[in-house]
Amino acid sequence: MDNGFTFDDERNSKGILKKVLIILGAVFGVVAMVLVVCLSGIFGNNDACRRISEKTGINRCDNHFRQVIFVIGDTANTPKPSLDQDGQDIITYLYDDSSDGISFISVANPDGTPQLFKKNKTKKISEEIANSVANVNGADYIEAIRNTAIYSRNKEDTLIYVIGSGLSDRGLLNFADNNLLIEYSTEEIKSAVSSDLSEKSELKGLTIYWDGLGNTVLPQEPLPAILKRKEEDIYRAVLGEMGVAGDSLVFVNKAGKNEINDVNTTVKTTSIISEELTFEYYGNSELAFVGGTAEFMNPGAAEAEIKRLASRYKNAYFVIKPFMSRGMCDRGKNPNLLNARAEATKNLFINAGHVSSSDIIIEEGEIGDAPECPGGEVHGPVDETEAVKNRKVRISVIRK
C-alpha cells in the first residue's frame, strides 16, 4: 500500500554517514585546536624555562623545585628588598606551584619559623617582599639560611632565595664586630667556622640563589668592588663547609635600585678599613714625596718599605690613596699629580715581585687635611711644616 512516503535505504544510509563524518570532523577539529594550544603552551614554557635557566645558572627545567624559602634582608644598611624579573621568572618556570609552597624568613629573626606568603602568586609574593620590614635589631644571614634547612621537606627539591647585603652583625659571620672583610683571610674564616660546626653537611642538597650580596645603603659605607669579591669568597667557603655544592650556589647583583629601606631598627655598620692595617707615609718617612712631584725623597727607602709590606702581607690586596698639598693656598687638587703618585707607589709593589696589578686598588686622590694655609684660601704659599703632612700616600691592607 502506498502511504505517500518513499523509503530509499541506500540514500538514507549515505545521509547518516555524511552527518556522522561532519560531527567527527568537528570533534577532531576541536581536539586538534586544544592540542595545539596545550602543546604550544608546553613548548613555550620549556623555551622560557631554558632561557631563565641559562640566565640564572639554575637548571631545574626537568625537575622543578617543590619548595622555595626566601631569606629576606629587610633590615637597615641593605637596600629595600625586591624581586626582579629574573626572580619572578624563577618562581614562574622553575617551581612546581602545585607542591610544597613558598615561604620567607627575615634575617632579623633568623630562628623564627618561615612564614607562608598570603597568596602563592608571583605578583603578590613580589609585593609582600617589597613591603617586608624588620621589627627587631640586627641581622644574621647564615643563621637564617641554616634555619631554612630545618624546614625544608626535601633539600634536593628546595630553593633558598636570599635577598640582601649579607653583612651580618652577629652569629658565625659577624662582619661588623670582627672586621672579617679586612683583618682575616678567607681561609682563616673558613677554618674558624668549620671548627664551630657539629654537622658539616647540614645544607647538603640545597640550591641557593643570592641577589644583592654586598649591596649597601646608608649608614653603611659602600663596599668597594674588592670587598664585595672578598665577601662572596667568604660565603662560598663557609656555605661549602656546610655542604652546599659549588654549582648549587649562585650569586647575582641586581637587587633593587639601592633604595633605602624604611625601617626603625638598626644593624651595626661594617668597617671597610682597618686602622691596624692602614699605613700613612709623609714628612721624612720612607714614602715621602718631593713637593709638586711624584718623586720619592728617598727612592731606596721607598723601595725597601714596599718590599717589607709585600713580604709581610703575601696574601693580600693593597689599596693606595694619594694626597697632595695645595702649593699655593688658592689652588685646587691636581688629578695628574695625584695619579702619578699613586702609579709610582703601585710600581714599587709590582717591582717587589710578590704582588700583581690585579691585587692593587687605587682610590681617588685628595688634598691632605693638615692646616697648611694659615691665611685661609687666599693666594699665598703654604706653611711648609704642615704642607709636608699633606704630601703623602695611604696604603691599606685587605687580607684575601
Short mmCIF file of all heavy atoms in Angstrom, two decimals, residues 256-297:
data_model
loop_
_atom_site.label_atom_id
_atom_site.label_comp_id
_atom_site.label_asym_id
_atom_site.label_seq_id
_atom_site.Cartn_x
_atom_site.Cartn_y
_atom_site.Cartn_z
N GLY A 256 67.03 45.48 43.55
CA GLY A 256 66.55 46.84 43.74
C GLY A 256 67.36 47.92 43.05
O GLY A 256 68.13 47.67 42.13
N LYS A 257 67.19 49.13 43.50
CA LYS A 257 67.92 50.29 42.98
C LYS A 257 68.64 50.99 44.13
O LYS A 257 68.73 52.21 44.16
CB LYS A 257 66.96 51.24 42.27
CG LYS A 257 66.27 50.62 41.06
CD LYS A 257 65.32 51.61 40.41
CE LYS A 257 64.63 50.99 39.21
NZ LYS A 257 63.67 51.93 38.58
N ASN A 258 69.12 50.19 45.08
CA ASN A 258 69.76 50.72 46.28
C ASN A 258 68.86 51.71 47.01
O ASN A 258 69.31 52.70 47.58
CB ASN A 258 71.11 51.38 45.95
CG ASN A 258 72.18 50.35 45.68
OD1 ASN A 258 71.93 49.16 45.79
ND2 ASN A 258 73.37 50.79 45.34
N GLU A 259 67.56 51.41 46.99
CA GLU A 259 66.59 52.25 47.69
C GLU A 259 66.70 51.98 49.19
O GLU A 259 66.71 50.84 49.63
CB GLU A 259 65.18 51.93 47.20
CG GLU A 259 64.10 52.77 47.86
CD GLU A 259 62.71 52.37 47.37
OE1 GLU A 259 62.62 51.58 46.42
OE2 GLU A 259 61.73 52.87 47.95
N ILE A 260 66.79 53.04 49.99
CA ILE A 260 66.93 52.88 51.43
C ILE A 260 65.68 52.23 52.01
O ILE A 260 64.56 52.61 51.68
CB ILE A 260 67.19 54.24 52.10
CG1 ILE A 260 68.58 54.75 51.70
CG2 ILE A 260 67.12 54.12 53.63
CD1 ILE A 260 68.94 56.10 52.27
N ASN A 261 65.91 51.22 52.86
CA ASN A 261 64.80 50.51 53.46
C ASN A 261 64.19 51.33 54.60
O ASN A 261 64.91 51.91 55.41
CB ASN A 261 65.29 49.15 53.98
CG ASN A 261 64.15 48.15 54.09
OD1 ASN A 261 63.05 48.39 53.61
ND2 ASN A 261 64.43 47.02 54.70
N ASP A 262 62.89 51.37 54.64
CA ASP A 262 62.19 52.19 55.63
C ASP A 262 61.99 51.37 56.91
O ASP A 262 60.94 50.78 57.14
CB ASP A 262 60.84 52.64 55.07
CG ASP A 262 60.10 53.58 56.02
OD1 ASP A 262 60.77 54.14 56.90
OD2 ASP A 262 58.88 53.74 55.86
N VAL A 263 63.03 51.33 57.75
CA VAL A 263 62.97 50.57 59.00
C VAL A 263 63.40 51.46 60.16
O VAL A 263 64.17 52.39 59.99
CB VAL A 263 63.88 49.32 58.95
CG1 VAL A 263 63.39 48.33 57.92
CG2 VAL A 263 65.33 49.71 58.66
N ASN A 264 62.88 51.13 61.34
CA ASN A 264 63.25 51.87 62.54
C ASN A 264 64.29 51.13 63.36
O ASN A 264 64.76 51.62 64.38
CB ASN A 264 62.01 52.12 63.41
CG ASN A 264 61.01 53.04 62.73
OD1 ASN A 264 61.40 54.01 62.09
ND2 ASN A 264 59.73 52.72 62.85
N THR A 265 64.62 49.92 62.92
CA THR A 265 65.60 49.11 63.65
C THR A 265 67.00 49.41 63.14
O THR A 265 67.18 50.12 62.14
CB THR A 265 65.28 47.62 63.46
OG1 THR A 265 65.21 47.35 62.05
CG2 THR A 265 63.97 47.28 64.09
N THR A 266 68.02 48.87 63.82
CA THR A 266 69.40 49.14 63.44
C THR A 266 70.17 47.85 63.19
O THR A 266 69.84 46.80 63.72
CB THR A 266 70.13 49.93 64.54
OG1 THR A 266 70.15 49.15 65.74
CG2 THR A 266 69.45 51.25 64.81
N VAL A 267 71.20 47.97 62.36
CA VAL A 267 72.21 46.92 62.16
C VAL A 267 73.56 47.60 62.25
O VAL A 267 73.77 48.66 61.64
CB VAL A 267 72.04 46.23 60.78
CG1 VAL A 267 73.17 45.24 60.54
CG2 VAL A 267 70.69 45.54 60.68
N LYS A 268 74.48 47.06 63.03
CA LYS A 268 75.80 47.68 63.16
C LYS A 268 76.47 47.75 61.79
O LYS A 268 76.38 46.83 60.98
CB LYS A 268 76.67 46.87 64.11
CG LYS A 268 76.18 46.83 65.54
CD LYS A 268 77.07 45.93 66.38
CE LYS A 268 76.53 45.75 67.79
NZ LYS A 268 77.36 44.78 68.56
N THR A 269 77.18 48.86 61.56
CA THR A 269 77.87 49.01 60.28
C THR A 269 79.18 48.22 60.28
O THR A 269 79.79 47.99 61.32
CB THR A 269 78.17 50.49 59.99
OG1 THR A 269 78.94 51.02 61.07
CG2 THR A 269 76.89 51.28 59.83
N THR A 270 79.58 47.80 59.09
CA THR A 270 80.82 47.05 58.89
C THR A 270 81.89 47.99 58.37
O THR A 270 81.68 48.70 57.38
CB THR A 270 80.60 45.90 57.90
OG1 THR A 270 79.68 44.97 58.46
CG2 THR A 270 81.90 45.19 57.57
N SER A 271 83.04 47.99 59.02
CA SER A 271 84.13 48.87 58.59
C SER A 271 84.71 48.39 57.26
O SER A 271 84.81 47.19 57.00
CB SER A 271 85.24 48.88 59.66
OG SER A 271 86.34 49.63 59.21
N ILE A 272 85.10 49.35 56.43
CA ILE A 272 85.74 48.99 55.17
C ILE A 272 87.23 49.32 55.20
O ILE A 272 87.91 49.30 54.17
CB ILE A 272 85.06 49.67 53.96
CG1 ILE A 272 85.19 51.19 54.05
CG2 ILE A 272 83.60 49.27 53.87
CD1 ILE A 272 84.74 51.91 52.80
N ILE A 273 87.71 49.63 56.39
CA ILE A 273 89.15 49.89 56.55
C ILE A 273 89.54 49.50 57.97
O ILE A 273 88.73 49.55 58.89
CB ILE A 273 89.48 51.37 56.27
CG1 ILE A 273 90.98 51.55 56.05
CG2 ILE A 273 88.97 52.27 57.38
CD1 ILE A 273 91.35 52.93 55.51
N SER A 274 90.77 49.08 58.15
CA SER A 274 91.27 48.72 59.47
C SER A 274 92.41 49.66 59.85
O SER A 274 93.38 49.80 59.09
CB SER A 274 91.78 47.27 59.48
OG SER A 274 92.52 47.01 60.65
N GLU A 275 92.30 50.31 61.00
CA GLU A 275 93.36 51.20 61.45
C GLU A 275 94.67 50.44 61.64
O GLU A 275 95.75 50.97 61.38
CB GLU A 275 92.96 51.90 62.74
CG GLU A 275 91.82 52.90 62.56
CD GLU A 275 91.49 53.64 63.85
OE1 GLU A 275 92.24 53.46 64.84
OE2 GLU A 275 90.49 54.38 63.87
N GLU A 276 94.56 49.21 62.09
CA GLU A 276 95.77 48.42 62.33
C GLU A 276 96.47 48.03 61.03
O GLU A 276 97.67 47.74 61.03
CB GLU A 276 95.41 47.15 63.11
CG GLU A 276 94.92 47.44 64.52
CD GLU A 276 94.64 46.17 65.29
OE1 GLU A 276 94.98 45.07 64.79
OE2 GLU A 276 94.07 46.25 66.39
N LEU A 277 95.72 48.01 59.93
CA LEU A 277 96.31 47.63 58.64
C LEU A 277 96.30 48.79 57.66
O LEU A 277 96.24 48.60 56.45
CB LEU A 277 95.54 46.44 58.05
CG LEU A 277 95.64 45.12 58.84
CD1 LEU A 277 94.79 44.05 58.20
CD2 LEU A 277 97.09 44.65 58.93
N THR A 278 96.37 50.01 58.18
CA THR A 278 96.45 51.21 57.34
C THR A 278 97.72 51.99 57.70
O THR A 278 97.98 52.24 58.87
CB THR A 278 95.21 52.10 57.54
OG1 THR A 278 94.05 51.37 57.13
CG2 THR A 278 95.31 53.37 56.70
N PHE A 279 98.47 52.35 56.67
CA PHE A 279 99.77 52.99 56.89
C PHE A 279 99.83 54.28 56.09
O PHE A 279 99.52 54.29 54.90
CB PHE A 279 100.91 52.05 56.47
CG PHE A 279 100.78 50.67 57.06
CD1 PHE A 279 100.15 49.65 56.36
CD2 PHE A 279 101.27 50.39 58.32
CE1 PHE A 279 100.02 48.38 56.90
CE2 PHE A 279 101.16 49.13 58.88
CZ PHE A 279 100.52 48.11 58.17
N GLU A 280 100.23 55.37 56.76
CA GLU A 280 100.38 56.67 56.08
C GLU A 280 101.85 57.08 56.09
O GLU A 280 102.53 56.94 57.12
CB GLU A 280 99.52 57.73 56.76
CG GLU A 280 98.04 57.59 56.46
CD GLU A 280 97.25 58.84 56.82
OE1 GLU A 280 97.85 59.79 57.37
OE2 GLU A 280 96.04 58.87 56.55
N TYR A 281 102.30 57.60 54.96
CA TYR A 281 103.70 57.99 54.80
C TYR A 281 103.78 59.43 54.35
O TYR A 281 103.21 59.82 53.33
CB TYR A 281 104.38 57.09 53.76
CG TYR A 281 104.36 55.62 54.10
CD1 TYR A 281 103.31 54.80 53.69
CD2 TYR A 281 105.39 55.05 54.84
CE1 TYR A 281 103.28 53.46 54.01
CE2 TYR A 281 105.39 53.70 55.15
CZ TYR A 281 104.33 52.92 54.75
OH TYR A 281 104.31 51.57 55.07
N TYR A 282 104.46 60.26 55.13
CA TYR A 282 104.62 61.68 54.78
C TYR A 282 105.83 62.23 55.53
O TYR A 282 106.50 61.51 56.29
CB TYR A 282 103.36 62.47 55.13
CG TYR A 282 102.98 62.43 56.59
CD1 TYR A 282 103.50 63.35 57.49
CD2 TYR A 282 102.10 61.46 57.06
CE1 TYR A 282 103.16 63.32 58.83
CE2 TYR A 282 101.75 61.42 58.40
CZ TYR A 282 102.29 62.35 59.28
OH TYR A 282 101.94 62.31 60.61
N GLY A 283 106.08 63.51 55.34
CA GLY A 283 107.18 64.16 56.05
C GLY A 283 108.53 63.55 55.70
O GLY A 283 108.94 63.55 54.54
N ASN A 284 109.21 62.98 56.69
CA ASN A 284 110.50 62.34 56.47
C ASN A 284 110.40 60.82 56.40
O ASN A 284 111.39 60.11 56.57
CB ASN A 284 111.48 62.74 57.58
CG ASN A 284 111.82 64.22 57.53
OD1 ASN A 284 112.01 64.77 56.44
ND2 ASN A 284 111.87 64.86 58.69
N SER A 285 109.19 60.31 56.17
CA SER A 285 109.00 58.85 56.14
C SER A 285 109.53 58.27 54.84
O SER A 285 109.93 58.98 53.91
CB SER A 285 107.52 58.51 56.29
OG SER A 285 106.79 58.96 55.16
N GLU A 286 109.50 56.94 54.75
CA GLU A 286 110.10 56.24 53.61
C GLU A 286 109.44 56.61 52.28
O GLU A 286 110.10 56.62 51.24
CB GLU A 286 109.98 54.72 53.82
CG GLU A 286 110.75 54.19 55.02
CD GLU A 286 109.92 54.19 56.28
OE1 GLU A 286 108.88 54.89 56.33
OE2 GLU A 286 110.30 53.48 57.23
N LEU A 287 108.13 56.88 52.29
CA LEU A 287 107.44 57.17 51.04
C LEU A 287 107.07 58.64 50.89
O LEU A 287 106.15 58.99 50.16
CB LEU A 287 106.16 56.31 50.93
CG LEU A 287 106.32 54.93 50.28
CD1 LEU A 287 107.21 54.03 51.12
CD2 LEU A 287 104.97 54.27 50.07
N ALA A 288 107.80 59.52 51.54
CA ALA A 288 107.52 60.94 51.42
C ALA A 288 107.84 61.43 50.00
O ALA A 288 108.81 60.98 49.38
CB ALA A 288 108.35 61.72 52.43
N PHE A 289 107.02 62.35 49.48
CA PHE A 289 107.21 62.86 48.13
C PHE A 289 107.87 64.24 48.15
O PHE A 289 107.65 65.04 49.06
CB PHE A 289 105.85 62.99 47.41
CG PHE A 289 105.23 61.67 47.04
CD1 PHE A 289 104.21 61.12 47.80
CD2 PHE A 289 105.68 60.97 45.93
CE1 PHE A 289 103.63 59.93 47.46
CE2 PHE A 289 105.11 59.76 45.58
CZ PHE A 289 104.08 59.23 46.34
N VAL A 290 108.63 64.50 47.09
CA VAL A 290 109.15 65.84 46.86
C VAL A 290 107.97 66.73 46.46
O VAL A 290 107.10 66.31 45.69
CB VAL A 290 110.21 65.83 45.74
CG1 VAL A 290 110.66 67.24 45.41
CG2 VAL A 290 111.38 64.93 46.12
N GLY A 291 107.91 67.94 47.01
CA GLY A 291 106.80 68.84 46.73
C GLY A 291 106.56 69.05 45.25
O GLY A 291 107.49 69.29 44.49
N GLY A 292 105.30 68.94 44.83
CA GLY A 292 104.91 69.20 43.44
C GLY A 292 105.29 68.10 42.47
O GLY A 292 105.13 68.27 41.26
N THR A 293 105.81 66.95 42.94
CA THR A 293 106.25 65.88 42.05
C THR A 293 105.73 64.53 42.55
O THR A 293 105.18 64.42 43.65
CB THR A 293 107.78 65.80 41.97
OG1 THR A 293 108.28 65.19 43.17
CG2 THR A 293 108.40 67.17 41.80
N ALA A 294 105.96 63.50 41.73
CA ALA A 294 105.66 62.13 42.13
C ALA A 294 106.95 61.38 42.43
O ALA A 294 106.99 60.15 42.38
CB ALA A 294 104.89 61.42 41.02
N GLU A 295 108.01 62.15 42.78
CA GLU A 295 109.30 61.55 43.10
C GLU A 295 109.42 61.36 44.61
O GLU A 295 109.04 62.23 45.39
CB GLU A 295 110.44 62.43 42.60
CG GLU A 295 110.46 62.62 41.09
CD GLU A 295 111.56 63.58 40.66
OE1 GLU A 295 112.36 63.99 41.54
OE2 GLU A 295 111.59 63.93 39.47
N PHE A 296 109.94 60.20 45.01
CA PHE A 296 110.16 59.96 46.42
C PHE A 296 111.42 60.69 46.88
O PHE A 296 112.42 60.73 46.14
CB PHE A 296 110.29 58.46 46.68
CG PHE A 296 109.03 57.68 46.37
CD1 PHE A 296 108.97 56.88 45.24
CD2 PHE A 296 107.94 57.76 47.21
CE1 PHE A 296 107.82 56.17 44.95
CE2 PHE A 296 106.78 57.04 46.92
CZ PHE A 296 106.71 56.25 45.79
N MET A 297 111.36 61.23 48.08
CA MET A 297 112.54 61.90 48.62
C MET A 297 113.72 60.94 48.73
O MET A 297 114.86 61.31 48.48
CB MET A 297 112.22 62.48 50.00
CG MET A 297 111.31 63.69 49.98
SD MET A 297 111.12 64.37 51.65
CE MET A 297 110.13 65.82 51.30
#
